Amino acid sequence: MKTGWKGWIAALLLGTSLLGVASAEERAVTLADLGYREGVSLEGPRGERTFYFSLPRGKVLPGSRVDLALSAPPGLAGDSVVLADLEGRPPVSRTLGGVSGEVRLSLPLDPARDGEPGVSLRVRTRVHRTDDLCRDAFGGNLNVTLRPQTALVLRYAPLPVKTAADWVAALQNGVAVVLPDEPTPEEVASAVGLFARFSRRFPGRVFFLRGSEEAGAGVLPRVRVQTDPQSASGLRVEGGRDLLISGADGNALTAVARQVADLSLMGAAASAVLGVEESDSRKPEGIPSFLPLRGTLRGEGVLTAELEGTVYAASDASVPGAVELILRGACSLPEDPRVPVQVDVLWNGALAASAALPGGRFDLKVPVPPELGIGPRNDLRLLFRYGKSGAPCRVQPALRRAELYPGSGARVTGSGSTARLGVVGFPLAMAGRGVLLVDRDLKGMGLAAAAHLWGALCATLPPDRFPFPEVRFLQEPGDLKGVGYAVAVSGKPLPEGLKPDFPLSLTDASTLVRLPDRKVLFKGRPEVPLAVGQVGSLAGVPSLALQAVVRPEVLQRAGAWMEDPAHLGRLSGNVFLFQDPGLATVLDTREQLLRVEEEGKPAFPWYGYERFRPYVFFGAWVLLAALLARLYFGQTSRRRGAQEEKKRRFSDSESRDQE
C-alpha cells in the first residue's frame, strides 16, 4: 500500500497540469524583500557586494531592469564613482563627487535571459576624499549606503504552470499557507512544515491562514492542505495560482507535503556557508563526513582584506561539545617580507585566534575557545592586516586580496549537554525525531505562533537540513518515549502529565528576582500581556516552550518577532519575555544573581545571604572574636586561679610547719 502511495505522489508531481495562457506581469523585488531591511553599507575606499535575485519562469520582456538607490557621504573627491553590473556585463558607473542626497542608477536586464533561474548584481565603490588613501581609509565615513528600495523591476510573460515544480518556480513575492478551521494533527504538521520551508525562500513574506481567514488575505498565491478521503492523494494546481495538497488520510497528506518541501522543488540557492565535519563516532549513517565550503569566499582592501562566512554547527548526531575550524586559502604577499600578514579569526564577533602568515597559501586549524560558545548558526570573519610599507599612499596602492577555498569547514568533536543550551542554541538539540505540541484551544493564533516558531528554529539550521514536524495536541500528547526533542506552544499551563521542568512556572505566583536589590523581573500572571519562552524539558525530553500570559494572541506576534534572524540571535539566555509591541527581555536563570521563588517557598536562606551578606560576615567575625576572647580570658583566669591556689596551699603548709 505504501508503494502505491509513492507511485501516486510521483505521478502527480510529474504530471499535474493546467493549461492556460498567461498575460504579461510586472513585479518588483527589493533588497528589503531579500532580507536587507536596513540596506547595505559598502565600506570605502574600496567596497564591493554581490546580490542574487531569483527569476520566475517565463519570458523576460523589454523594460525589465534593476533600479539602484544609493546614499553617498558628503565631501567625496570628484573622481569617486560607483560601478554596477549584471552577470559580469560591462558596468554602469555614476560619479559620486559633489553629490548630496540620493543617487539613482538603472541597469537594463537582458531579455535574452529566458529560462535562467536568476540574475546576480555586483556593486562596487571607488571613493576617496584626498590623494592619501591610507588616511582616508583610517579616517572613516567613506561608506556608500545601498538603500533597501533598490529593486529588480521585472516585466515578463509567465509560462503556463503544468506541474507543481512549475508552480513553485513561478513564486516571486511570497505565499500563504491555508489549512482548515478545525485541523487534524497531520494537517497542522503539513501546514507548519510547508510554512517553515517557504519562509527560508521568502523571509517575512509567508503567511499562515485558516480557511475562514482567506477573504482578507490579499492576492498572494495559496498552498492549501486538507485531508479528503473522497479524493486521491496528491497535488493539483488550481487556476494557475494556487496549489492544493490533499491526502486520503493523515499519513498520505504528510507524505505529499514532504515531497513539496523537498529541496529539489524549492531550488535552494547555495551561499557562503561552511559545512561541518563529524568524527566517525558521531557520524550518522547516510550523512557525508565533510560538507565543504560552498563556493569560494573572496575579499579585498587597501590596508586589510576581510572575509565573512557562516558556520553551521548543527548536525544530525548530537549537541556538539567543541568546534575546530579548518581554514584553507591564500592571501596576498606583504610588500616587506620581514613584516608578516596578521590574520584575526573572529567567531560570532569575538576574537578566537590570531596568527602571522608569510603570504600565499595557508592552512590553519583553529580550535574555537569553549567560552565563546557554539550556536547552530555562527558568523565567521577573517581579517587579514598588512603592515605599513615604506611607500607612501599618495598613489593608489595595489589591493590586498584573500580567499578561502572549498575544503574549508568545521570539525565537530565531543558531545555537549542540552542542559546548557539557551533559546538561540536550542536547534542544536533538534536531531532525530522531534514533536511539535500545540494547544488545540488556541485555534488559529496558536497554530500561527507554532508555525512562526518552527520556522525561526529551522532558519538557523544548515540549508540542506530541514526537520519536518510531527504535530500532537497538548490535550493528547501521547508517549514521548523515543522522541529526541519537543517544541510546545500553549496559552495556558502545560499539562502536569508531561512533567514540565522549566525555569519559570506560570501556574502559581512564580517570581524571578534579581539580587541583592530584590528587583522583580517576572511575576506569574502579570497585568501586562507577555509571551514567555523557556528552555527546559517535558517528560525528560529537551524542550522549548512558548507560553502566553494574560492574552494568548501575543503568541503569534512573539513567534513572528523571533523569525527575524537579528532577533533570534539575541536570545542567548534560557528565558525570554516578549511584551507588545515587540519589547523582549532576555534572562538566564542560571546566573548567580537571579533567583526563582515560588509562592509558599520563598528562598529566604539565599535572600538573607545575598542581602545581609556583609552583616553576616561581620557578625560571624564578632562571634568568632568573642569566642576566642572568652577562651583566652577563661584560660588566663583558670591559670591565675591555679597559681593562687598553689600559693594558698604553700602558705598553709608553712603555717603548719611553724606551729
Side-chain angles (χ1 to χ4, degrees):
M1 194 67 176
K2 291 183 179 179
T3 305
W5 289 126
K6 291 181 180 179
W8 274 105
I9 293 168
L12 288 166
L13 280 171
L14 296 174
T16 304
S17 63
L18 180 69
L19 299 177
V21 179
S23 58
E25 296 186 13
E26 181 169 314
R27 295 178 179 177
V29 181
T30 66
L31 287 185
D33 295 331
L34 297 181
Y36 303 99
R37 299 178 182 177
E38 305 298 328
V40 177
S41 179
L42 303 174
E43 298 183 359
R46 301 290 182 264
E48 180 175 337
R49 290 295 294 270
T50 300
F51 308 93
Y52 183 83
F53 294 91
S54 61
L55 296 177
R57 294 176 65 257
K59 180 176 178 59
V60 177
L61 301 177
S64 300
R65 64 194 185 278
V66 174
D67 290 335
L68 279 75
L70 306 104
S71 295
L76 295 180
D79 58 348
S80 296
V81 297
V82 58
L83 304 99
D85 63 83
L86 297 175
E87 297 294 339
R89 295 172 59 193
V92 176
S93 64
R94 172 71 185 272
T95 301
L96 300 178
V99 173
S100 61
E102 187 174 277
V103 177
R104 291 281 182 174
L105 195 62
S106 184
L107 291 79
L109 192 64
D110 186 3
R113 294 191 54 81
D114 291 345
E116 295 291 334
V119 60
S120 62
L121 165 69
R122 183 175 64 156
V123 183
R124 293 173 289 165
T125 57
R126 300 292 181 262
V127 298
H128 64 105
R129 284 195 173 88
T130 69
D131 58 353
D132 190 334
L133 290 181
C134 295
R135 185 175 65 184
D136 287 349
F138 284 112
N141 195 23
L142 285 180
N143 297 350
V144 176
T145 301
L146 199 59
R147 294 190 173 180
Q149 294 83 4
T150 296
L152 166 69
V153 180
L154 186 66
R155 295 188 70 252
Y156 71 104
L159 297 178
V161 176
K162 298 181 178 181
T163 67
D166 293 343
W167 184 88
V168 173
L171 294 176
Q172 186 78 3
N173 290 328
V175 67
V177 180
V178 186
L179 79 167
D181 288 341
E182 300 293 337
T184 64
E186 292 80 9
E187 289 172 334
V188 176
S190 300
V192 169
L194 291 171
F195 178 94
R197 171 56 78 193
F198 280 111
S199 293
R200 285 197 170 186
R201 181 172 175 182
F202 305 106
R205 292 179 288 144
V206 182
F207 303 91
F208 194 86
L209 306 172
R210 293 183 300 162
S212 58
E213 300 170 334
E214 274 198 84
V219 296
L220 282 177
R222 264 76 157 166
V223 179
R224 294 187 176 88
V225 297
Q226 66 179 33
T227 303
D228 186 1
Q230 305 302 321
S231 63
S233 302
L235 309 172
R236 184 169 71 251
V237 180
E238 298 180 325
R241 286 189 58 83
D242 300 337
L243 183 68
L244 176 64
I245 301 175
S246 61
D249 55 32
N251 292 333
L253 177 65
T254 54
V256 178
R258 286 175 184 270
Q259 290 282 345
V260 178
D262 186 81
L263 282 175
S264 61
L265 284 180
M266 288 299 170
S271 58
V273 172
L274 278 81
V276 176
E277 179 183 2
E278 300 186 0
S279 61
D280 292 339
S281 61
R282 291 171 43 82
K283 176 187 172 185
E285 291 186 8
I287 303 297
S289 60
F290 192 79
L291 303 175
L293 171 69
R294 301 174 181 185
T296 300
L297 287 182
R298 294 183 174 90
E300 64 180 23
V302 176
L303 302 175
T304 62
E306 184 175 343
L307 305 178
E308 293 183 351
T310 301
V311 177
Y312 286 100
S315 68
D316 287 322
S318 61
V319 177
V323 167
E324 181 184 50
L325 299 173
I326 299 112
L327 307 174
R328 301 184 178 105
C331 62
S332 297
L333 296 172
E335 294 184 10
D336 187 347
R338 297 171 298 178
V339 182
V341 182
Q342 296 292 327
V343 58
D344 293 337
V345 181
L346 292 96
W347 177 266
N348 291 327
L351 183 63
S354 294
L357 303 175
R361 296 291 295 266
F362 63 83
D363 191 336
L364 295 176
K365 293 185 179 180
V366 180
V368 176
E371 57 270 19
L372 298 187
I374 303 170
R377 186 180 189 276
N378 305 274
D379 295 326
L380 176 66
R381 182 183 174 205
L382 303 181
L383 184 63
F384 296 83
R385 295 182 287 112
Y386 288 80
K388 291 184 178 180
S389 63
C393 299
R394 298 296 178 184
V395 296
Q396 180 172 335
L399 292 177
R400 274 78 172 195
R401 293 182 171 86
E403 295 184 348
L404 204 60
Y405 298 145
S408 298
R411 179 179 291 113
V412 174
T413 57
S415 181
S417 171
T418 58
R420 298 302 303 170
L421 294 179
V423 177
V424 69
F426 182 78
L428 288 172
M430 296 176 65
R433 177 189 173 203
V435 171
L436 176 61
L437 300 168
V438 296
D439 189 349
R440 188 198 300 271
D441 298 337
L442 283 175
K443 304 292 184 182
M445 293 179 298
L447 299 181
H452 285 296
L453 178 58
W454 191 266
L457 297 175
C458 292
T460 65
L461 298 174
D464 51 2
R465 180 180 163 199
F466 178 73
F468 204 88
E470 175 188 344
V471 172
R472 302 180 189 177
F473 290 126
L474 278 166
Q475 287 76 6
E476 305 94 22
D479 186 7
L480 295 185
K481 184 178 180 181
V483 172
Y485 62 94
V487 177
V489 177
S490 177
K492 54 189 176 184
L494 297 171
E496 287 298 326
L498 288 175
K499 300 178 182 179
D501 183 12
F502 292 94
L504 302 179
S505 171
L506 277 61
T507 55
D508 302 317
S510 177
T511 305
L512 180 65
V513 297
R514 184 181 65 194
L515 303 175
D517 58 0
R518 298 287 298 166
K519 180 179 180 180
V520 176
L521 303 178
F522 171 82
K523 187 175 181 62
R525 305 190 192 94
E527 296 180 358
V528 295
L530 287 177
V532 182
Q534 305 182 79
V535 174
S537 67
L538 290 170
V541 172
S543 303
L544 171 65
L546 181 64
Q547 295 175 265
V549 183
V550 181
R551 292 211 315 258
E553 56 266 27
V554 76
L555 284 173
Q556 182 174 350
R557 290 187 284 272
W561 181 87
M562 288 181 65
E563 272 195 295
D564 189 330
H567 293 163
L568 183 62
R570 291 170 46 195
L571 305 179
S572 57
N574 62 347
V575 171
F576 82 94
L577 310 175
F578 176 89
Q579 178 181 348
D580 272 350
L583 302 176
T585 302
V586 184
L587 304 168
D588 197 324
T589 60
R590 296 164 293 194
E591 295 181 2
Q592 292 184 354
L593 293 181
L594 293 182
R595 294 287 181 269
V596 179
E597 300 176 358
E598 298 290 340
E599 184 178 8
K601 299 179 181 179
F604 182 77
W606 284 112
Y607 160 68
Y609 172 75
E610 294 288 349
R611 186 171 184 179
F612 300 108
R613 180 168 53 181
Y615 306 102
V616 171
F617 277 110
F618 179 75
W621 182 85
V622 171
L623 289 175
L624 180 60
L627 178 61
L628 293 175
R630 182 176 180 181
L631 291 174
Y632 173 77
F633 288 113
Q635 187 176 7
T636 303
S637 177
R638 287 192 297 271
R639 187 181 297 115
R640 287 177 180 175
Q643 291 177 352
E644 290 177 357
E645 179 66 20
K646 185 177 181 180
K647 289 180 179 180
R648 186 182 62 80
R649 291 179 179 178
F650 180 76
S651 177
D652 291 345
S653 175
E654 285 185 345
S655 298
R656 287 194 295 269
D657 290 342
Q658 291 177 359
E659 290 177 359

